[in-house]
Each structure stands twice: as structure tokens, then as C-alpha cells.
Amino acid sequence: MTVFNDAVPAVANLGPHLLAALRRAATDAAGDGIEFYVNSGWRSAAYQERLFRRAVSEYGSEAAAARWVATADTSLHVAGEAADIGHSDATSWLSDHGARYGLCQIYRNEPWHYELRTDAVHRGCPRMYADPTHDPRMRR
């Protein structure tokens, strides 16, 4: 689904500032022949919990799963403050231009995961965490 698809809750329920930044960036990227897709945006707490439980089964422990999937209590997707962007040409474009819109990759192990950092417009994106287990926001 594109960032302009308001009929899909994963897009429509994103935070308004994040969604506006994604749409500004997508409009500009289209001029370079790049189309943004939201592979995963807003998620319900129940869905996030299912994703986490599935990751625990796959990786063998909650600690290992936490490198890839947040709990429903800590997920920025549940809060509508994170979007996983696809395809690789879009994430590459965002790596080069995202700070201009306040859109930053947060985790080195997740090149598709973007969040809004409004101060990045003037200061650039902050250093990335290796993975979510290094992010203090994930420790609740």
C-alpha cells in the first residue's frame, strides 16, 4: 500500500506528523521515479503481540525475539509513530534524503524502519541503535 492510501488502517492510523512527512518525501521521491510503500505502519496491540509471540517461537527466546520485534507495550508501530518502508529503492532514497523530512532509520538491523525525528531537519538523523534491544525506549 502506498503512503497515500487512507482506506488502510496501517496508513490512516499513523501519527499525523509522521504521515505528513512520509507523504512529502514520497511526493519528492516520485520525481526521481521512486514509489514508497508502507509494508507495515500502525498495528493494533493484539497484532503486535501475535508478531512478538511468533518471533519468540522462531528465535527461541523473548530476548532474541526483541532484536526484531517489540512487545505491544513498547512498539512504536502500535503508537502510530513508526513505518516500515519498502522497496529497497525507497529505503535507499530515504537514507540519502530522509533527514530533510525528519525521517530517520533508527536501527542498523532494520533498514526499512523509519520514525519521525523533527530535529533531524536541522541536525541530521541521530546515530542508529544496533537493534531495538539497545534502544532505551524499549525497556518498559
Side-chain angles (χ1 to χ4, degrees):
M1 70 203 107
T2 74
V3 299
F4 300 101
N5 192 339
D6 287 328
V8 177
V11 173
N13 291 338
L14 287 172
H17 299 292
L18 172 60
L19 185 56
L22 285 168
R23 287 178 171 172
R24 284 192 307 276
T27 298
D28 291 348
D32 292 333
I34 307 293
E35 190 167 16
F36 285 18
Y37 291 92
V38 176
N39 290 340
S40 189
W42 171 83
R43 301 174 188 154
S44 71
Y47 179 60
Q48 185 68 32
E49 189 59 31
R50 283 194 305 274
L51 291 175
F52 184 72
R53 290 286 145 221
R54 187 179 312 146
V56 170
S57 293
E58 181 177 341
Y59 296 108
S61 71
E62 288 188 0
R67 292 192 64 233
W68 301 100
V69 181
T71 65
D73 291 338
T74 60
S75 174
L76 277 288
H77 285 279
V78 172
E81 299 301 326
D84 294 346
I85 303 298
H87 302 289
S88 60
D89 58 344
T91 58
S92 177
W93 191 93
L94 276 173
S95 288
D96 293 338
H97 307 285
R100 198 178 324 169
Y101 307 89
L103 297 169
C104 297
Q105 180 186 343
I106 303 302
Y107 308 118
R108 276 195 301 274
N109 73 327
E110 295 186 10
W112 53 83
H113 180 96
Y114 280 81
E115 297 176 18
L116 184 64
R117 296 287 189 274
T118 54
D119 57 340
V121 172
H122 302 291
R123 296 184 182 149
C125 289
R127 271 187 30 194
M128 286 183 254
Y129 298 108
D131 62 56
T133 63
H134 296 280
D135 184 344
R137 300 172 302 166
M138 297 298 118
R139 297 182 198 122
R140 289 188 188 165

